[in-house]
Amino acid sequence: MFSSLGVGVFTIVTLCLLVIVSVWLRLVNTTVQDPYLDEVFHYHQAKLFLQNNFREWNPKITTPPGLYILTYVHASLGRILLGSSTVAVTSLRHLNYDIGVFCLPYLLGKILPRLADELDKKYRLASFRSKTKDGLPKIALGHTVLNICLFPPLFFFYALYYTDVSSTLSVLCVYYCHLRGHRKSLVFAGLVSLWFRQTNIFWTAIFMGGLDLVRSLQKGRRGFEYEASPTFLDVILGSWRHTCIYDESVHQALFSDYAKSAISVAIAILSSPWVALRIIMPYIILLTAFGSFVIWNGSVVLGDKENHVASIHLAQMLYIWPFITFFSLPMLWPWLVNGIVPQQLLPRQLRFHKVRCHRTAIVVGFGFLGVSLGIVHYNTIVHPFTLADNRHYMFYIFRILLSKSLLKYLVVPVYGYCALAAIAALGGLESTQDFSIQKELDGVDTKQGEQALNTRDKPPNITPQGKSVTFVLVWLLTTALCLVTAPLVEPRYSILAWLFWRLQLPVLQPLALSQKGSNVRNDAKALWNSAYDHRLILETAWFMFINVVTGYMFLYKGFEWPQEPGNVQRFMW
């Protein structure tokens, strides 16, 4: 099959992107015909490669030459298929256009169904989906592919000649190999990915290696399973004797479960080091290749080493949470609303998430505030580039944060609240709605429906289908390694962190299909009302709104610097 989403769904997604991205590219190429900002460096380096000059290198460029090699291949194909040989920056921008319209949706259309299949195996939903021939789930997955491709910090660069789009594609190729278990292909794709951006090593080696290790060790020996709510001693003994990782679902987990899982992983590795080594060998090869490059180069970056020195910037792990919350506001609103508004004050249709407040959680909350305040006070790094360039939105955000001496401390609770919402969302959407309304919609008279209708004051909770604690730990570790080492705060640096968070965000909600007297038509109707996540529509509208606003600011709200009269400066991420 051409795409795991199905030809029809994939065609619709591609056509939508084709129209939207084509308009964006045409507007940019019409308004901004000369290379802008970092495009200047990338464009001139690409011209050298297209002239078969592979030895000359601009010392201001920090990333490896993957973009220019891909441009060389793309231009060669263009000459063969279209007879075009132009090297204007407006033509080079078509590389990211083609990736955004064709390559990214195709690859995401392969990845998301595989993640959904894992969900089916875990929660045994395939029998429900088969009744509608997978129609609506595929539509929801296709809608998710469309939304991810419209993600504003990524969408913006479909019409500019930057590295971010091709770099994201290269990491997703490695992830696809990881999901399919193709270890040799994974190593090759991982090495290719390092030619686009050095920080890809964290996602290709640490993130995917960690997931692979956890997935393999979760099986344990002789089918061992932990009892409900085990003690720390039970987890330690189980991990050592049976090499079995303790892994609770995010929805059910308390803070102590995160600590237990971390200890469990460490002990399971120590108890079977050779097994762990065999599992992560492909990722060790990637780390070895990257380490060899750093030793040979004398630095992580190729050029401009003085302005790109790796440092410990812990505040980056505070900034990532409002970043995720802002862009994923439509997907996180149930947790944001239910976290501050009492359930009794909300309509039944909006009671999604029950906030469980434990004494441990209160202690952890205050501990987070204390640590975060210390990080803000002692480790807030403002790179000279941030406050020297008013063309980027981060300039204005940091100027606001630093305008008042106490403001940067007052927003710390916001970081914590956003973090709770983003992590809780990975546990799935717990609905307390009365799904017995299906009886009224379908006219299905069942004993179960009668009981549900008679207990509307106590509607049944629907168990979420979310991620486990170990995924959160691996994702957090990788995000920290990727961001904490960067002194410069840029939205582009967080694209992959958001992407892997969003890929794992549960979208298809628990089904409430009738058990007796049902038919395909009624089940399809129930599936649409209970399983299709209507937040996807809000997410599409939100992303399009942001893209229109940022696009308008970039194209039509340019300004001039006094020291550079006649040169239009434009706002961008």
Side-chain angles (χ1 to χ4, degrees), residues 317-318 321-322 325 336 368 413-425 501:
M317 285 307 293
L318 301 179
W321 305 116
T325 302
L336 296 172
F368 174 86
V414 176
Y415 299 149
Y417 194 65
C418 292
L420 286 176
I423 293 176
W501 174 87

Side-chain angles (χ1 to χ4, degrees), residues 23 39 51 90-91 98 179 190 227 273 343 350 384 388 390 414 425 438 445 461 476 504 556 565:
V23 172
E39 275 190 324
Q51 295 168 1
T90 52
S91 65
D98 290 339
L179 291 176
E227 297 180 356
Q343 293 275 319
L350 300 183
N390 62 349
V414 176
Q438 177 199 343
D445 187 11
N461 292 339
L476 282 174
Q504 302 291 341
Y556 306 115

Side-chain angles (χ1 to χ4, degrees), residues 140-152:
L141 292 176
H143 199 165
T144 302
V145 169
L146 175 65
N147 286 354
I148 291 176
C149 291
L150 292 176
F151 179 52

